[in-house]
Amino acid sequence: TPKRCQPGKGATMISALFVYNHKGELVISRTYRDDIDTKTALDTFRANVIHSRTGVRAPVNTISNKSYMHIYRHQVWFVAVTADNTNATMVFSFMEKFMDTCSQFFGEFTEINVKNNFALIYELLDEVLDFGYPQTTDPDALKVLSEDSRDSKGKGGLDVNKISSQVTGQIGWRRQDISYRHNELWLDVEEKVSCVISPSGQMLSAHCAGVIKMKCQLSGMPDCKFGINDMLGEAAKKFEAAAKKDAAKSKKKEKKSPIAIDDLTFHQCVKLGKFDSNRSISFIPPDGEFDLMKYRTTTNIKLPFVVTPMIQELPDAIEITVVVRSDFDSKFTSPKIEVTIPTPTNASSVFIPSSGTSKGKAKYKGGANAVVWRMKNVSGGKTAQCQFRIDLLKSAKKKKWVRPPIRMNFEVPFAPSGLEVWYLQVRENKLGYDDTTIRKWVRYIGSSGDYESRI
């Protein structure tokens, strides 16, 4: 029997993985090493964490020289048990990635979904860990394994050479025999903008966290080339000139000026060498949905909304007026906006007159100590106002109001960072199709992260 290779010190070794429901009942159990007693570990975590009277909720608990690391999500406990001094960050990273991988197979990692997909989860657990050491959590490679194992039932077993070339080869995220009647591509640019605005309307800090998601339904092994208005270093100047030349040929409208991107993370299918040389993103995409690129920007961010609060403090009351201006092009419309305006904890009542809101509806929520103002279908360049009066409880000691910030939740059909897709080219030489026969859609979705305005 060949000896098993043991990684060096600090390697991540997981002895067992457990899944409990919110009551502490065991749903999934998989033991990888014999350095723990499974039944003892199950009872120990249930008694000392889930049913703990002291309310222990720390993500890492060391009990009887065993480390219990857990994630509680959707009323499900996902637990990793280790007997050695294992890298906790790596364990949590693996657990998060495994839950994300499962969500791509059957949706959210809930108790019902877990119970309905027992066989699939145990199959994935056998692939992602070997003797407690993480192997692969790539959804596309795991899909190849799970699909081939199902197809092999009743057909004389697996084609081992085919699977090995797909999982360990250069393009392990895509099968070679994919075929579609219509070749189609969907591209979503999703951004979350976070900011802090001063009472005078000055932007104190702002950043955008974005992700470019792609849904690919292409036959064969297509080679894709994707370009954005990114400006990084001298090489980007060549890219900009090439893009302008491409725009002149295709007679498209003038494109947005390049933006500075601080952080970039690509899917493993992207050829990084070509990106470093000319800022073009070349790749052979996985089949189905995946995140092509994640990024972050901190400069020249266009805030979609400007909030201007006006507060007048009276002896026993406070009058608040909040003005929201949509600071974007009139051709865009925000489908829904929610403004949360804080109120003092000693408020006895809040009076919102019928004419207090110029658009939408405002409602006082005593449990949250806030007035929630909701609007729909707000076009760019518009201004809306909400006005109300807060009556305060009379007390001998007058506490100064801390004034928490106004928060906004919204969605807009553009990218606040200014990012734009300049081109998306596809070519498949073996099957002989290119851009002229492919349906392509690009959508921009901007939404709020931590969008705060001080008052």
Side-chain angles (χ1 to χ4, degrees), residues 69-209:
M69 309 178 199
H70 74 266
I71 296 174
Y72 184 69
R73 188 178 299 167
H74 304 305
Q75 294 188 321
V76 169
W77 299 85
F78 186 33
V79 186
V81 185
T82 66
D84 297 321
N85 186 19
T86 304
N87 187 332
T89 304
M90 290 293 292
V91 174
F92 280 111
S93 178
F94 165 79
M95 293 169 71
E96 288 279 359
K97 187 64 179 175
F98 180 76
M99 294 178 80
D100 291 341
T101 300
C102 288
S103 67
Q104 295 197 31
F105 279 88
F106 53 77
E108 292 183 342
F109 200 81
T110 61
E111 180 183 357
I112 295 175
N113 285 343
V114 169
K115 287 182 176 179
N116 291 338
N117 294 274
F118 267 133
L120 174 61
I121 292 175
Y122 276 110
E123 187 179 349
L124 293 176
L125 288 174
D126 286 337
E127 299 296 341
V128 297
L129 287 175
D130 179 23
F131 198 57
Y133 295 103
Q135 301 300 307
T136 179
T137 54
D138 178 53
D140 301 300
L142 291 171
K143 283 178 183 177
V144 170
L145 285 169
S146 62
E147 288 171 6
D148 280 344
S149 64
R150 290 190 187 94
D151 293 343
S152 67
K153 292 179 181 179
K155 295 183 180 179
L158 297 170
D159 186 346
V160 178
N161 294 329
K162 180 180 177 182
I163 293 177
S164 298
S165 65
Q166 289 171 333
V167 176
T168 63
Q170 193 175 10
I171 307 175
W173 54 86
R174 185 178 180 87
R175 306 167 68 99
Q176 296 186 6
D177 55 353
I178 297 173
S179 179
Y180 287 99
R181 185 176 180 182
H182 300 290
N183 293 309
E184 299 174 311
L185 269 179
W186 291 266
L187 201 69
D188 281 353
V189 179
E190 298 181 5
E191 288 189 352
K192 284 188 177 294
V193 56
S194 301
C195 69
V196 178
I197 305 172
S198 69
S200 61
Q202 181 183 0
M203 185 172 65
L204 302 178
S205 66
H207 74 271
C208 275

Side-chain angles (χ1 to χ4, degrees), residues 6-7 149 161 171 228 261 269 277 303 352 398 406 424:
Q6 299 291 343
S149 64
N161 294 329
I171 307 175
I228 57 176
I261 296 180
C269 66
S277 62
L303 296 181
I352 306 172
K398 285 192 175 181
I406 297 173
L424 177 57

Side-chain angles (χ1 to χ4, degrees), residues 145-321:
L145 285 169
S146 62
E147 288 171 6
D148 280 344
S149 64
R150 290 190 187 94
D151 293 343
S152 67
K153 292 179 181 179
K155 295 183 180 179
L158 297 170
D159 186 346
V160 178
N161 294 329
K162 180 180 177 182
I163 293 177
S164 298
S165 65
Q166 289 171 333
V167 176
T168 63
Q170 193 175 10
I171 307 175
W173 54 86
R174 185 178 180 87
R175 306 167 68 99
Q176 296 186 6
D177 55 353
I178 297 173
S179 179
Y180 287 99
R181 185 176 180 182
H182 300 290
N183 293 309
E184 299 174 311
L185 269 179
W186 291 266
L187 201 69
D188 281 353
V189 179
E190 298 181 5
E191 288 189 352
K192 284 188 177 294
V193 56
S194 301
C195 69
V196 178
I197 305 172
S198 69
S200 61
Q202 181 183 0
M203 185 172 65
L204 302 178
S205 66
H207 74 271
C208 275
V211 57
I212 298 179
K213 297 184 176 182
M214 179 175 281
K215 182 179 179 181
C216 173
Q217 291 184 354
L218 299 175
S219 304
M221 300 291 283
D223 195 359
C224 301
K225 189 177 288 187
F226 170 76
I228 57 176
N229 57 333
D230 164 37
M231 178 57 73
L232 287 174
E234 294 297 322
K237 294 179 181 178
K238 299 178 183 178
F239 173 55
E240 183 184 4
K244 287 181 178 178
K245 185 178 179 181
D246 182 65
K249 287 182 179 180
S250 57
K251 297 181 180 180
K252 291 183 178 179
K253 65 179 182 179
E254 185 181 353
K255 301 186 183 301
K256 292 183 181 179
S257 58
I259 64 169
I261 296 180
D262 299 324
D263 302 308
L264 277 172
T265 304
F266 292 111
H267 188 273
Q268 63 173 332
C269 66
V270 175
K271 302 171 184 176
L272 298 179
K274 289 190 176 181
F275 178 77
D276 291 336
S277 62
N278 60 11
R279 296 295 161 189
S280 66
I281 303 170
S282 300
F283 57 97
I284 297 176
D287 187 45
E289 299 181 15
F290 66 100
D291 293 344
L292 176 64
M293 163 183 155
K294 294 180 181 179
Y295 60 93
R296 184 173 175 270
T297 64
T298 56
T299 57
N300 299 324
I301 295 173
K302 183 69 173 176
L303 296 181
F305 295 96
V306 177
V307 181
T308 307
M310 291 171 280
I311 298 176
Q312 184 178 3
E313 295 195 26
L314 304 174
D316 296 317
I318 299 176
E319 292 183 353
I320 297 180
T321 302

